[in-house]
Amino acid sequence: MTPDLGGVPLELIEEVFDGYAESLQPDYPTLRALILVCRALHTCAQLNLYHRVIINTPEQLQAFVETKHAFPTLAHVVRELTVSPKPHAYVPLGTVAGLLLGVQVLKLKLNSDLAPPTYNHVLTQFRGVHTLVLSGMLFWHNFHLQRLLHAFNWLRHLTILRVGISS
């Protein structure tokens, strides 16, 4: 049974959703509702819902990992990952770094003194990243920043905002 979309072709509706999600902040409650109630728009809504993933706490990371295990194809949908932990929190990205092979944009706002020395190695597992945004970070020494940037030697775009060195 083909769902009634008011005579509008499904492809046109999908284009509208995709264009909206690319240009603006997606309306997550609407996308979640579409996944549950409209089979015709399920795939399109799911792609747009997980296109950008924002992780602020270890609990959010764990919830994402559990969702990814329940729906393994979601790992390939994520194109933009923002990691911006709350103050004094550490988000162990090693649990997802090798699984999110489709990530192209990585935005980091990390407290570098909470990250273990191997964190740069973990970040290099995001092999598809071509855009890196570092924001609001403080490095203990300039070689820590150099090491991080060296880990992404294939970048096409780099943005550094409010990054300091305390040496």
Side-chain angles (χ1 to χ4, degrees), residues 53-61 81-93 106-116 119 123 133-138:
V53 172
I54 300 169
I55 297 175
N56 296 321
T57 66
E59 294 78 20
Q60 287 176 335
L61 177 65
L81 176 63
T82 300
V83 181
S84 181
K86 303 293 183 199
H88 309 294
Y90 166 67
V91 175
L93 280 180
L106 182 59
K107 297 180 178 182
L108 300 173
K109 183 178 181 182
L110 302 171
N111 187 346
S112 61
D113 62 333
L114 292 179
Y119 212 66
L123 294 174
V133 178
L134 302 176
S135 175
M137 296 175 68
L138 178 64

Side-chain angles (χ1 to χ4, degrees), residues 135-155:
S135 175
M137 296 175 68
L138 178 64
F139 292 90
W140 286 105
H141 195 275
N142 63 354
F143 76 85
H144 291 120
L145 175 58
Q146 290 171 342
R147 216 170 40 190
L148 176 63
L149 295 177
H150 181 63
F152 289 97
N153 60 359
W154 60 83
L155 286 178

Side-chain angles (χ1 to χ4, degrees), residues 59-72 74 96:
E59 294 78 20
Q60 287 176 335
L61 177 65
Q62 183 60 34
F64 177 75
V65 168
E66 290 171 7
T67 302
K68 191 220 66 73
H69 285 306
F71 305 97
L74 290 181
V96 294

Side-chain angles (χ1 to χ4, degrees), residues 12-166:
L12 181 59
I13 293 173
E14 289 176 344
E15 284 293 322
V16 169
F17 271 104
D18 292 344
Y20 175 76
E22 285 295 318
S23 64
L24 301 170
Q25 183 68 16
D27 180 359
Y28 293 113
T30 300
L31 291 171
R32 281 193 293 270
L34 278 173
I35 286 173
L36 296 173
V37 300
C38 184
R39 280 190 191 184
L41 294 174
H42 179 274
T43 301
C44 179
Q46 188 177 45
L47 289 173
N48 285 294
L49 184 61
Y50 288 97
H51 179 84
R52 292 183 183 119
V53 172
I54 300 169
I55 297 175
N56 296 321
T57 66
E59 294 78 20
Q60 287 176 335
L61 177 65
Q62 183 60 34
F64 177 75
V65 168
E66 290 171 7
T67 302
K68 191 220 66 73
H69 285 306
F71 305 97
T73 57
L74 290 181
H76 303 291
V77 173
V78 179
R79 294 290 177 256
E80 182 177 306
L81 176 63
T82 300
V83 181
S84 181
K86 303 293 183 199
H88 309 294
Y90 166 67
V91 175
L93 280 180
T95 57
V96 294
L99 305 174
L100 297 177
L101 302 177
V103 172
Q104 298 170 352
V105 177
L106 182 59
K107 297 180 178 182
L108 300 173
K109 183 178 181 182
L110 302 171
N111 187 346
S112 61
D113 62 333
L114 292 179
T118 58
Y119 212 66
N120 288 344
H121 175 70
V122 168
L123 294 174
T124 63
Q125 295 178 42
F126 290 101
R127 295 258 182 234
V129 171
H130 59 70
T131 300
L132 177 64
V133 178
L134 302 176
S135 175
M137 296 175 68
L138 178 64
F139 292 90
W140 286 105
H141 195 275
N142 63 354
F143 76 85
H144 291 120
L145 175 58
Q146 290 171 342
R147 216 170 40 190
L148 176 63
L149 295 177
H150 181 63
F152 289 97
N153 60 359
W154 60 83
L155 286 178
R156 286 187 254 158
H157 305 281
L158 173 65
T159 303
I160 299 178
L161 303 167
R162 299 178 314 277
V163 171
I165 297 172
S166 67

